[in-house]
Amino acid sequence: MSVRETDARTAHADGVERLLASYRAVPEASAVRLAKPTSNLFRPRARADAPGLDTAGLTHVIAVDPEARTADVAGMCTYEDLVAATLPYGLTPRVVPQLKTITLGGAVTGLGIESASFRNGMPHESVLELDVLTGAGELVTASPDEHTDLFRAFPNSYGTLGYAVRLRIELEPVQPFVALTHVRFHTLADLVAAMDRIVQTGTYDGERVDYLDGVVFSADESYLCLGMQTAATGPVSDYTRQRIFYRSIQHDDGAIHDRLTIHDYLWRWDTDWFWCSEGFGAQHPLVRPLWPRRYRRSSSYWKLMRLARRYDIADRLERLKRRPPREWVIQDIEVPIGRTVAFLDWFLANVPIEPIWLCPVRMRDDDGWSLYPLRPRETYVNVGFWSTVPVGAAAGETNRRIEQAVGELDGHKSLYSEAFYSREEFDARYGGHAYRAVKDRYDPDGRLLDLYAKAVQRR
């Protein structure tokens, strides 16, 4: 063990002790929550009545084993820091969620997805074992062979069964560059059919595909973005300056090509928060040169959006223009690939939001995951849409209609944003019976919030 690794493990042990001490300091009548400087949740929450848990010592990579292709990582380590630690070895996590400040623990307990998900599943499927601070204040190691019930129920529990303190994850080798092919489609049926073939074969026109996602601009303008790892050197694009990645994929017909370093490919969406930086003026040709480059990142836009929501800035501007307030529609949903065209047709006809992000995913694990209703070895398509629409007659009207449409198509939605399910429907969709059994065992006194209370009741 190197001196650096020894120091990292010592620092981690100190961080764990600080975490446990802060847990013991929370009054028994108060709910236990994390104190974190960043978040990728997009739903309002009630204010905490006690200090959050001290996670300041749990933000680092503990060790990388390049031979075993594994990493031990503290639960609050961001993917930005994790990738920075693994890339020098020519390795990355199997799935790298597209926003830099997503933490590994957050991606596992709250789920994550990216363009490698059609072959590597989701981040929690790459976890070999994890140390969890449970609601009972105990530190347990969960794995496929130990505390298996907690291991299987942890994904999609959003911190209501415990907090990941350390995770050992699988890594995969990567090449230094990614060659990109952006393929234009004029019908959604053709795009989804091509996506399905790529997922099944791992190839497009005889070439290997390592990464796969897509963008829908309208019913007759959509794209698949195909990535192939390569060691071949040559010119690369840079979308951290004036050029905007999602605009670079647009063209009239056929396919166009591009190249990025593997680092820039992993973070291609972060610079402009996909396309949502437009709402802050960061894509305006006169504003963009003045916007400091270090602030062109998702974390900056998230802070601005949080301020805007706190002070109702958007609604105030709408009132000045004598227009009704807006409803936030920030969601990721998944439907079986055979139902994707039906959902997109419905969405485009009923919800005035574009572009729309597409990302296919197949779960690798045949045993399934207690709180996550994707069927193993079946292809689903994640559909992401993030914007606002005019308010309807009832609170959350558009979000409720989306929930209903997704359910009718045998799909479900992620829980990082607002949800409106009844308790009965929520339990049926998100493993309520299994959840309660694990909750009773690892949080018998209810020190952590209940999943329904957190995801739907905004506590």
Side-chain angles (χ1 to χ4, degrees), residues 153-197:
F154 196 77
N156 210 42
S157 64
Y158 281 85
T160 64
L161 298 177
Y163 298 110
V165 175
R166 177 195 62 91
L167 305 96
R168 178 168 294 165
I169 63 168
E170 298 173 309
L171 305 173
E172 70 173 8
V174 293
Q175 297 293 337
F177 303 99
V178 177
L180 295 172
T181 300
H182 304 307
V183 185
R184 167 77 188 257
F185 294 88
H186 299 276
T187 72
L188 295 171
D190 287 345
L191 177 140
V192 173
M195 177 186 288
D196 196 17
R197 288 193 298 271

Side-chain angles (χ1 to χ4, degrees), residues 140-162:
V140 303
T141 299
S143 72
D145 303 314
E146 186 178 9
H147 294 286
T148 307
D149 54 349
L150 179 59
F151 183 79
R152 289 287 168 193
F154 196 77
N156 210 42
S157 64
Y158 281 85
T160 64
L161 298 177

Side-chain angles (χ1 to χ4, degrees), residues 329 346-354 385 389 398 401-402:
V329 181
W346 176 87
F347 188 89
L348 291 170
N350 290 276
V351 184
I353 292 176
E354 59 82 21
F385 36 92
V389 300
T398 298
R401 292 177 66 200
I402 291 170

Side-chain angles (χ1 to χ4, degrees), residues 79 95 97 104 107-108 111-113 117 120-127 169:
Y79 272 91
V95 177
L104 178 59
V108 170
L111 306 181
I113 193 170
S117 290
N120 285 339
M122 291 187 170
H124 60 272
E125 295 193 276
S126 300
V127 176
I169 63 168

Side-chain angles (χ1 to χ4, degrees), residues 175-232:
Q175 297 293 337
F177 303 99
V178 177
L180 295 172
T181 300
H182 304 307
V183 185
R184 167 77 188 257
F185 294 88
H186 299 276
T187 72
L188 295 171
D190 287 345
L191 177 140
V192 173
M195 177 186 288
D196 196 17
R197 288 193 298 271
I198 294 169
V199 172
Q200 297 296 331
T201 66
T203 64
Y204 179 79
D205 280 351
E207 297 287 338
R208 185 185 75 252
V209 175
D210 297 311
Y211 303 108
L212 173 64
D213 61 358
V215 179
V216 175
F217 289 90
S218 67
D220 57 6
E221 183 188 2
S222 58
Y223 303 86
L224 288 182
C225 302
L226 320 178
M228 181 181 72
Q229 296 179 28
T230 177

Side-chain angles (χ1 to χ4, degrees), residues 324-382:
R326 310 279 293 180
E327 175 186 350
W328 293 91
V329 181
I330 300 177
Q331 303 285 355
D332 279 75
I333 66 93
E334 274 122 7
V335 290
I337 195 166
R339 305 289 183 88
T340 304
V341 174
F343 176 78
L344 291 172
D345 285 343
W346 176 87
F347 188 89
L348 291 170
N350 290 276
V351 184
I353 292 176
E354 59 82 21
I356 305 165
W357 186 60
L358 304 178
C359 187
V361 58
R362 285 173 67 93
M363 307 297 280
R364 292 188 294 141
D365 197 305
D366 288 327
D367 292 334
W369 301 88
S370 303
L371 312 187
Y372 202 58
L374 292 187
R375 291 182 288 273
R377 307 295 176 175
E378 182 173 332
T379 302
Y380 291 79
V381 178
N382 178 283

